[in-house]
Amino acid sequence: MKKLKLQELGRVDLATYRQAEKIPVCILLDNVRSLHNVGSTFRTADAFSIEKIVLTGITGQPPHREIQKTALGATESVQWEHDDDVLHAVEQLKAQGYEIALVEQTTHSVSLEEFKLEAGKKYCFVFGNEVQGVSDSIVGQADCAIEIPQSGTKHSLNISVCVGIVMYDVYQKIKQLR
């Protein structure tokens, strides 16, 4: 066994990536404070060929040195937009045909393991603020809520970890639908 060099990984260049087909998934960051979490989300979105990221409220926007530190250039490959108002952003995404899936603990959350995707549908996964979670104003607008099963003493995971777990699961489920 040997460790592969970057040129041996067979990754596409930026222009090719931008033209490549993306999975029908959007990530919405709802008032995320940490610029490192934002950058990590960009990097995860690039890894799994996510359509776009929507940054809302106080969520930091590229270009920013702290975002770039963890994004490692993914802010150039992943399409993104910003909306000051999370409710407006959700309404716009619904109008574009996205199913809105909160990643939040609610009275109707289903386990990520049990969450089923439907072929032909577009999904937007909403990740909330590090302290307050998803904004109350959009809970009633969501089509569903999912949560990652946990058995420790903490009630939540870091957003960047949560995004990685959910997007990997969604990516695998979409591959099976194709």
Side-chain angles (χ1 to χ4, degrees):
M1 175 180 358
K2 75 172 183 109
K3 185 174 156 184
L4 295 175
K5 296 183 181 351
L6 290 178
Q7 55 272 31
E8 294 176 297
L9 294 176
R11 300 291 193 255
V12 298
D13 62 25
L14 183 58
T16 304
Y17 180 86
R18 285 182 178 158
Q19 298 300 315
E21 181 182 3
K22 307 297 185 283
I23 65 171
V25 169
C26 167
I27 296 170
L28 186 147
L29 297 182
D30 176 13
N31 289 300
V32 171
R33 299 176 309 168
S34 166
L35 299 175
H36 295 287
N37 283 334
V38 175
S40 292
T41 298
F42 271 93
R43 198 160 162 194
T44 298
D46 175 277
F48 297 119
S49 298
I50 304 302
E51 277 184 353
K52 67 180 173 179
I53 297 174
V54 178
L55 309 170
T56 66
I58 65 166
T59 305
Q61 303 170 54
H64 193 285
R65 184 176 55 100
E66 294 301 312
I67 294 173
Q68 294 305 105
K69 187 184 288 187
T70 49
L72 293 178
T75 57
E76 302 302 316
S77 59
V78 177
Q79 180 184 338
W80 67 275
E81 57 195 56
H82 178 265
D83 194 318
D84 286 328
D85 182 358
V86 67
L87 183 57
H88 179 260
V90 166
E91 289 169 349
Q92 292 294 316
L93 290 162
K94 286 181 85 104
Q96 294 169 27
Y98 286 93
E99 295 282 318
I100 307 299
L102 306 179
V103 181
E104 184 64 85
Q105 297 159 337
T106 73
T107 56
H108 291 84
S109 296
V110 298
S111 171
L112 179 60
E113 301 161 320
E114 298 170 10
F115 180 67
K116 305 283 188 239
L117 295 169
E118 294 180 41
K121 283 195 173 182
K122 299 190 317 183
Y123 294 89
C124 177
F125 293 89
V126 180
F127 298 87
N129 175 275
E130 292 89 342
V131 176
Q132 303 299 322
V134 171
S135 296
D136 290 339
S137 65
I138 62 170
V139 172
Q141 302 299 312
D143 297 297
C144 62
I146 60 174
E147 63 180 278
I148 298 169
Q150 300 171 68
S151 59
T153 62
K154 299 300 173 191
H155 70 280
S156 66
L157 295 163
N158 178 278
I159 291 170
S160 65
V161 172
C162 189
V163 169
I165 291 168
V166 172
M167 290 302 103
Y168 176 77
D169 183 78
V170 166
Y171 182 77
Q172 294 299 315
K173 287 174 180 174
I174 287 175
K175 279 179 31 179
Q176 291 175 354
L177 289 173
R178 290 184 172 174

